[in-house]
Amino acid sequence: KGYQNPLDPAALQANASRMTEITGQADVGYTDLPRWLQDISGKRLANSPKHKVALNARYTMNFQKGSMMLSTNYVWRDDSEYDVFNTPAAIAEGYGKLSARASWTSSGDRFTVALFGANLNDEIAHDRGGAERRATPASGPAGQVYYQAYNLTPPRTFGVELQYRIY
C-alpha cells in the first residue's frame, strides 16, 4: 500500500508535468545620441544578442514519502557584439547550453537532495568580452591593433545539493 508506479497512465494524471518555452528577439540600438567623437546611432547595444531561446521541461512524481522532480533546460544565445562600435573583433559566436536536475523532496518538505549537471554538452563559448584598440608603431599611422578579451562559459559541471529546512 502507498506505492504508485509513476509510469502507470492513471498515475500520470496525478503527477505534475510542465514544459515552458521562452523565445525572444531584441532589435535594440542607439538613436539620436550626441556625436562627440564617433557616431554610434543605429548600432546594436553591447552584449545584447538579437535572438535567445530557452526551453525547460519538468516532471514531478508524487509518492507517499515525498516527491521526485526531473528537470532539464536548454538555452541558446545568438551572436553577441561586446562593444558599442560593433567591431568585428568584439563579436562572440552564439552558443547553446544543456542542463539537468533530479531532486527528491521529503513529504514534510523538510529536506531535499538534488543531483545536477550544468553545460552537459560541454559547450565552451565566449560569454562576454571585448576588444581593446591600441595604435602601435607596427599598425602604421592609420591603423589600430585589436586585443581581444573574452570570459569563457564554465565547462561541464556536476554537483550534489543538500537542503534541510528548519521550521
Side-chain angles (χ1 to χ4, degrees):
K1 186 174 180 179
Y3 172 76
Q4 181 183 26
N5 180 355
L7 302 178
D8 180 13
L12 290 176
Q13 294 177 1
N15 292 322
S17 64
R18 181 177 184 176
M19 183 159 183
T20 56
E21 173 190 358
I22 301 170
T23 59
Q25 179 175 349
D27 196 9
V28 293
Y30 299 97
T31 58
D32 301 324
L33 294 173
R35 293 178 173 93
W36 292 295
L37 299 173
Q38 184 172 351
D39 182 13
I40 57 173
S41 297
K43 302 283 187 179
R44 291 192 55 75
L45 290 175
N47 198 21
S48 61
K50 188 168 186 178
H51 301 283
K52 186 173 183 179
V53 176
L55 300 169
N56 183 10
R58 181 178 70 191
Y59 182 70
T60 303
M61 296 171 276
N62 296 307
F63 301 98
Q64 187 176 15
K65 295 188 177 192
S67 63
M68 178 173 229
M69 191 263 307
L70 304 172
S71 166
T72 185
N73 66 59
Y74 181 78
V75 177
W76 176 79
R77 180 180 171 154
D78 202 358
D79 295 352
S80 294
E81 299 164 350
Y82 293 108
D83 71 2
V84 296
F85 305 109
N86 304 137
T87 308
I91 295 176
E93 292 183 18
Y95 64 92
K97 291 191 339 183
L98 176 68
S99 299
R101 180 180 180 90
S103 65
W104 171 265
T105 301
S106 65
S107 60
D109 199 31
R110 191 70 166 200
F111 69 89
T112 300
V113 178
L115 302 172
F116 64 89
N119 194 10
L120 295 176
N121 52 332
D122 205 19
E123 178 83 24
I124 304 300
H126 301 136
D127 190 27
R128 53 184 283 200
E132 183 179 333
R133 295 166 186 77
R134 291 188 183 172
T136 66
S139 64
Q144 293 179 338
V145 174
Y146 292 96
Y147 294 94
Q148 294 176 311
Y150 292 108
N151 291 343
L152 297 178
T153 57
R156 182 181 301 133
T157 315
F158 297 99
V160 176
E161 183 179 304
L162 303 172
Q163 298 176 6
Y164 182 77
R165 289 174 267 297
I166 305 172
Y167 51 81

